[in-house]
Amino acid sequence: MQLSYPCRGPLLVWTLVVQLFLQGSGTYANDATNNCKLVFESESERKVLQQIETLAHKNFTAETQIGEDKYSYVFQLCGDAGGIPGAGVIQVDNQKTGAKITVIGSYNATEVIGGSDYVWLVYGNGEKYDTHCSKEQRKAFVMIFCNRNLDLGQLEVVQENREREQNCYYQFKLESSAVCPPLESKLSAGSIILIIGFCVLAVYLIGGFLYQRLIVGAKGMDQFPNHAFWVEVGNLSADGCDFVCRSRDREEPPTYRGVATEPLEEEPEERDDHLLPM
């Protein structure tokens, strides 16, 4: 007798799909910035890219208007901007029929400059100019500045510098907390220990007072937690201070004279009863 499992096939399919998705997402996250091909491969530039890895696989858009011409820009870190293969930054001419797309920079020619609170990203190998800049390839500069209040800021168009013969470029600005340096603690170890000590003391005093007041029903100074113990500690501390700090010898007799330090023996009382007349 054989048992049939009608749902076994779809279940296996969904299991494989989930596993492939998890594996793909893991590789996707780990290789977030590896798609960028550096012009000059260096470990330092790779570390800077890893620092801003949280910005990868996200399209950042900006719009600008020059006269009557309106343009949209899309930037993506080490990914296909606007779905255009190999494009890091693209320009969309909204006035053209069908929205003409121009690749400004490609992530297969990447340069990275990292600072304490900023990152400069350069995408080269864009499409050539038609008439400007000696018909050289376009280039995009993306400046990413530190802003601790923004995880992902808004892309801004700074300028398009094409009024020159060579080295023309598009400049963009983006703010993000990803490029911010880690905050260093300004408290020393001693300060932290003191803060912990004061917190423990406050909990001890407040908790002990409430317990003595509400549970035990103590009044006055008896509300102080472990009052008898601390009184004894105070007395012992005073005795210790007296023992250490006093310079006078405790066995030395008083400095004043005329009074014996030992008790005087009582003299026998003289009775003169026999002198009285009978």
Side-chain angles (χ1 to χ4, degrees), residues 136-277:
E136 68 177 4
Q137 289 182 307
R138 289 175 171 84
K139 181 186 299 184
F141 289 171
V142 182
M143 303 179 299
I144 307 175
F145 294 102
C146 169
N147 189 337
R148 298 189 184 278
N149 298 324
L150 290 175
D151 292 333
L152 301 174
Q154 179 67 36
L155 184 68
E156 300 178 16
V157 181
V158 178
Q159 64 173 334
E160 178 189 358
N161 193 333
R162 64 179 186 178
E163 303 302 326
R164 52 173 65 182
E165 293 297 325
Q166 293 179 339
N167 297 324
C168 299
Y169 60 87
Y170 293 77
Q171 189 175 7
F172 303 89
K173 175 185 175 182
L174 180 66
E175 293 183 351
S176 173
S177 60
V179 299
C180 295
L183 294 175
E184 297 181 359
S185 176
K186 297 182 180 180
L187 296 177
S188 63
S191 301
I192 296 176
I193 293 175
L194 287 176
I195 292 174
I196 294 175
F198 280 122
C199 292
V200 172
L201 180 61
V203 171
Y204 168 75
L205 292 176
I206 296 174
F209 174 82
L210 294 176
Y211 176 80
Q212 293 291 110
R213 175 82 175 184
L214 302 177
I215 305 302
V216 180
K219 302 293 183 181
M221 293 299 297
D222 292 335
Q223 297 176 96
F224 193 88
N226 304 110
H227 177 260
F229 169 77
W230 292 114
V231 168
E232 185 66 20
V233 169
N235 292 334
L236 293 175
S237 300
D239 292 342
C241 181
D242 180 70
F243 179 80
V244 173
C245 300
R246 300 282 183 176
S247 60
R248 177 177 60 84
D249 187 2
R250 290 174 178 75
E251 300 299 330
E252 182 183 351
T255 58
Y256 55 84
R257 299 181 183 275
V259 179
T261 57
E262 298 180 358
L264 300 176
E265 297 181 0
E266 295 183 1
E267 298 182 357
E269 183 180 357
E270 296 182 0
R271 304 183 64 86
D272 55 355
D273 295 342
H274 63 285
L275 298 178
L276 297 176

Side-chain angles (χ1 to χ4, degrees), residues 11-30:
L11 180 61
L12 290 176
V13 172
W14 279 109
T15 303
L16 291 174
V17 169
V18 171
Q19 290 179 351
L20 291 174
F21 174 78
L22 293 176
Q23 292 176 358
S25 61
T27 305
Y28 188 73
N30 293 333

Side-chain angles (χ1 to χ4, degrees), residues 16-84:
L16 291 174
V17 169
V18 171
Q19 290 179 351
L20 291 174
F21 174 78
L22 293 176
Q23 292 176 358
S25 61
T27 305
Y28 188 73
N30 293 333
D31 298 338
T33 58
N34 289 340
N35 292 332
C36 279
K37 295 182 180 180
L38 299 175
V39 176
F40 305 102
E41 186 68 36
S42 67
E43 184 179 355
S44 60
E45 292 190 29
R46 282 294 171 189
K47 288 183 178 179
V48 175
L49 284 175
Q50 292 174 1
Q51 179 185 353
I52 58 175
E53 191 173 13
T54 56
L55 304 179
H57 307 302
K58 298 178 178 65
N59 281 323
F60 298 90
T61 60
E63 294 184 357
T64 185
Q65 182 171 353
I66 303 175
E68 296 182 356
D69 297 333
K70 295 181 180 179
Y71 299 96
S72 299
Y73 297 89
V74 182
F75 158 69
Q76 187 171 149
L77 176 64
C78 302
D80 298 334
I84 306 301

